[in-house]
């Protein structure tokens, strides 16, 4: 199995080069000013053109793009055509693209999902997956690591309040042992997921010092103590880190999660709606004369600022505790 | 809130009228004989025409249809056009349609998914949802109960071997209490989901004697003891029951799950590929002259047989333990 060039390693390299920002294309038509929206025949077309302009403007600062399929499904068939085209645009630019699909299903159905999102109209480099139904549901996606260099992020600790309902529940001692997660205390449901992902990572060699496994984990940047514990517990897993920016997560917590194998920090709304708060656009906003170029450029500035903030936080963390950081050479 | 005519009650009534069969349209092009497949311009078109013929042939025995979106996503944009058209065909026939999408995501993203699958091109009556990220992820779908009479099945105990990895793990005593699931022993992750669903059901009144809540649960028919325990623990939840037929689940176990509020028993491959085992088609099969009509009629016969088997098992169960069954008037 060729594990030299899988997408997660490409993404890790892009983060080392450009900084850790993942630009989220959770593009809702309502994020566009009305004067721009009405220039297009349909909301889906407007979304696609916004994505096109935004990819161009933010590419220098985007280690990757994450496309949240829910927003495109909500626009029906035209929305999914815009989704397919958006994936193509990012891939054509040579930038890794994450399909945020959070699928999870059994056997033949999981195979169909893997085929759907790792080939054909909706081909992405990396997908997000939901582990609730068990680790057998991940296998069809793992097959694409060897045959097409694909990767996946599996939900581990999400950034929403409902995280407490299932992910955060503590296991009995016997189940903790059965799940192979006795290293944590207390052992939670999310640790059973983490232990399963660690076993998958082990198939691809030792990533504790550098590199990363083709399957990573989604870990929200909402609690400092959690971030530290999870980062240290899974040193070889590359993280997809939501919750920064609009969801309130601090750059400092994100920096903690960027330690060891590292990760990519998602910002969606903060960049997509940057034009709303951009002081240089005040006049155009008040006169209703914003153009697509204006809002894409505002997104570009926001991506630059986010990258600078994240790199600054990473540097500050490294300076305060040099022993804890695992910078790759 | 008008809870009189939500989709789950319509489905429950359809099961009382026609029997509990849910015909699964997990339609893979490979389920079609080559001589039929090549009559169409694309696999997606063949799938749509197969669905059309199959809906016609099985409608008398189908309380509902369940459309597994993964198979359509795997065929790209054309596949999703076939998916949209399939949902329309079932709805036009006045039969409840379940979109087997197993989505689950946070806040605004969950709202987008709810809009996507409860309105527009992909409008279904009922969807399936994944609870891993917590109960807040279900709320946007619950809004459509009141405003559009929609319903959902939430994954509780699935029928795949990986079920043991997360769903089946035992909780610590403190987490079991926090999850409000202290009624079971041992309390498992799936009981935390069940307790959450019971709290949701409580918002819609007392369904312990008859009727059902607008949100039900997915419970696989793979273990008799499980089936009995889960059926008794959640009397007001209507169940979507996979694992019957091709997945090996016995009619007897399904019958146990059909007790109380009842449920609908899914058969997909057993019906979709019935032509392969249909003795009346032997001659046509060997001469490569099967038509779409032939394979749809085989599906119709298989749906009739499945319904007869399930109703027989239900009757046998009622006869053996009349006190345990909760037949509705």
């Amino acid at each position: 199995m060729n594990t030299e060039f899988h997408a997660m390693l490409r993404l890790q390299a892009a983060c080392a080069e450009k900084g850790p920002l993942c630009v989220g294309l959770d593009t809702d038509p309502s994020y566009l000013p009305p004067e721009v929206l009405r220039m297009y025949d349909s909301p889906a077309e407007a979304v696609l053109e916004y994505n096109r302009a935004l990819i161009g403007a933010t590419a220098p600062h985007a280690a990757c793009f994450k496309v949240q399929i829910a927003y495109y499904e909500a626009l029906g068939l035209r929305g999914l055509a815009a989704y397919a085209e958006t994936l193509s645009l990012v891939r054509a630019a040579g930038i890794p693209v994450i399909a945020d699909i959070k699928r999870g299903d059994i056997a033949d159905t999981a195979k169909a999902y893997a085929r759907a999102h790792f080939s054909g109209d909706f081909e992405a480099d990396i997908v997000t997956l939901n582990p609730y139904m068990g680790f057998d549901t991940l296998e069809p996606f793992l097959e694409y690591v060897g045959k097409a260099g694909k990767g996946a992020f599996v939900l581990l600790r999400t950034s929403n309040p409902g995280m407490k309902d299932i992910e955060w529940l503590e296991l009995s001692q016997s189940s903790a042992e059965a799940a192979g997660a006795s290293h944590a205390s207390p052992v939670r449901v999310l640790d059973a997921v983490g232990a399963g992902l660690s076993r998958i990572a082990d198939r691809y060699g030792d990533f504790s010092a550098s590199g990363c496994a083709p399957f990573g984990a989604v870990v929200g940047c909402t609690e400092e103590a959690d971030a530290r514990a999870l980062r240290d517990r899974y040193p070889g897993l590359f993280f997809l880190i939501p919750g920064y920016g609009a969801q309130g997560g601090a750059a400092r917590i994100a920096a903690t999660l960027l330690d060891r194998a590292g990760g990519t920090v998602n910002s969606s709304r903060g960049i997509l709606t940057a034009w709303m708060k951009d002081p240089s656009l005040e006049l155009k906003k008040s006169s209703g004369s914003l153009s697509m170029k204006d809002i894409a450029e505002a997104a570009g500035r926001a991506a630059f600022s986010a990258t600078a903030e994240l790199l600054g936080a990473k540097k500050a963390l490294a300076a305060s505790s040099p022993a804890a950081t695992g910078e790759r050479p």
Side-chain angles (χ1 to χ4, degrees), chain A residues 80-154:
Chain A
L80 284 158
Y83 173 78
E85 184 63 21
T86 298
L87 296 178
S88 291
L89 289 170
V90 180
R91 285 164 51 81
I95 300 173
V97 65
I98 302 168
D100 196 354
I101 56 172
K102 296 189 179 69
R103 302 298 194 252
D105 214 310
I106 66 173
D108 287 344
T109 306
K111 280 185 200 166
Y113 274 134
R115 210 160 61 235
H117 298 281
F118 282 156
S119 70
D121 288 345
F122 306 129
E123 181 173 357
D125 299 306
I126 298 173
V127 297
T128 59
L129 300 175
N130 184 315
Y132 181 73
M133 295 174 76
F135 302 118
D136 53 354
T137 65
L138 307 181
E139 291 297 331
F141 296 89
L142 274 162
E143 282 175 28
Y144 283 82
V145 175
K147 76 183 183 199
K150 302 298 185 184
F153 287 109
V154 178

Side-chain angles (χ1 to χ4, degrees), chain A residues 225-241:
Chain A
D226 261 31
R228 185 79 265 161
L230 291 171
R231 183 63 286 180
D232 291 345
R233 202 171 298 149
Y234 307 112
L237 297 184
F238 196 76
F239 286 169
L240 171 60
I241 306 162

Side-chain angles (χ1 to χ4, degrees), chain A residues 153-166:
Chain A
F153 287 109
V154 178
L155 296 177
L156 184 65
R157 189 254 187 253
T158 59
S159 54
N160 58 318
M163 178 276 300
K164 302 266 175 199
D165 295 335
I166 307 293

Side-chain angles (χ1 to χ4, degrees), chain A residues 183-226:
Chain A
H183 51 298
S185 175
V187 176
R188 303 184 189 277
V189 170
L190 61 83
D191 294 304
V193 175
L197 289 178
S198 298
R199 287 193 296 274
I200 288 172
D202 286 345
R203 298 191 209 167
Y204 296 89
D206 178 12
F207 297 105
S208 55
S210 67
C212 65
F215 270 36
V218 178
V219 179
C221 78
T222 44
E223 302 277 347
E224 176 81 54
D226 261 31

